[in-house]
Amino acid sequence: MRVMVMVKATEDSEEGIMPPPKLFEDMGKFNEELVQAGIMLSGDGLKPSKMGKRIAFDGSDRRVIDGPFAETRELVAGYWIWEVKDMDEAVAWVKRCPNPMMTPSEIEIRPFYEMEDFAEVASPEGQASHERAAEGLAAQQKG
């Protein structure tokens, strides 16, 4: 089962305040453990929302919204993509994680949809195009 593990933003992360060296080292060690266990597929930190953009969709209209975005506690400051056997394993790993922020923080775990989840709505053409995209992505990552 693949999950996205999201580190929620804090006021400090939205201000762009860097972690102290000890926290940076602790997170690096945790990431090494995840890689050695075959859990971590990818992960990165995200710059503050003031450097981001949102695109609002309404039918065929598109509207660009410049950051920063309100509701800091709803923003994501970083993420991992993990391959775990189940949600319990993901929770166990998150519980081992150092607090990723200098203040109280939250981490959210969300499972990914897999192709079999779309069995009722996927036409053969739709499924084929998604498979081609996945194969193209895999080829890009190799090369």
Side-chain angles (χ1 to χ4, degrees):
M1 147 184 234
R2 286 180 314 130
V3 295
M4 177 174 275
V5 181
M6 295 170 278
V7 176
K8 296 301 194 95
T10 63
E11 288 182 19
D12 286 348
S13 69
E14 276 296 286
E15 287 297 318
I17 297 172
M18 291 297 179
K22 173 80 167 101
L23 177 53
F24 187 77
E25 290 168 21
D26 290 347
M27 290 303 294
K29 289 176 185 174
F30 181 68
N31 286 336
E32 282 181 320
E33 288 179 41
L34 291 166
V35 169
Q36 290 169 357
I39 301 289
M40 185 172 163
L41 303 178
S42 68
D44 269 307
L46 300 172
K47 291 188 176 184
S49 70
K50 67 184 174 191
M51 301 177 90
K53 305 230 183 246
R54 286 184 176 167
I55 314 303
F57 291 76
D58 186 2
S60 61
D61 293 334
R62 306 292 184 266
R63 184 171 49 95
V64 177
I65 304 162
D66 294 324
F69 307 121
E71 298 299 327
T72 298
R73 71 182 192 281
E74 298 300 323
L75 299 173
V76 176
Y79 72 94
W80 290 280
I81 309 261
W82 292 352
E83 181 76 41
V84 293
K85 66 181 177 203
D86 55 28
M87 188 60 81
D88 289 339
E89 182 179 26
V91 168
W93 275 99
V94 170
K95 284 181 168 182
R96 293 176 55 184
C97 182
N99 181 355
M101 300 292 179
M102 297 172 285
T103 58
S105 66
E106 290 184 359
I107 292 180
E108 179 178 338
I109 307 167
R110 301 265 301 274
F112 281 93
Y113 278 108
E114 301 295 346
M115 281 308 294
E116 56 267 12
D117 295 318
F118 296 100
E120 292 182 20
V121 298
S123 67
E125 297 81 17
Q127 188 167 351
S129 74
H130 283 278
E131 288 170 359
R132 285 191 302 274
E135 289 167 2
L137 227 125
Q140 285 178 356
Q141 291 172 349
K142 283 184 179 179

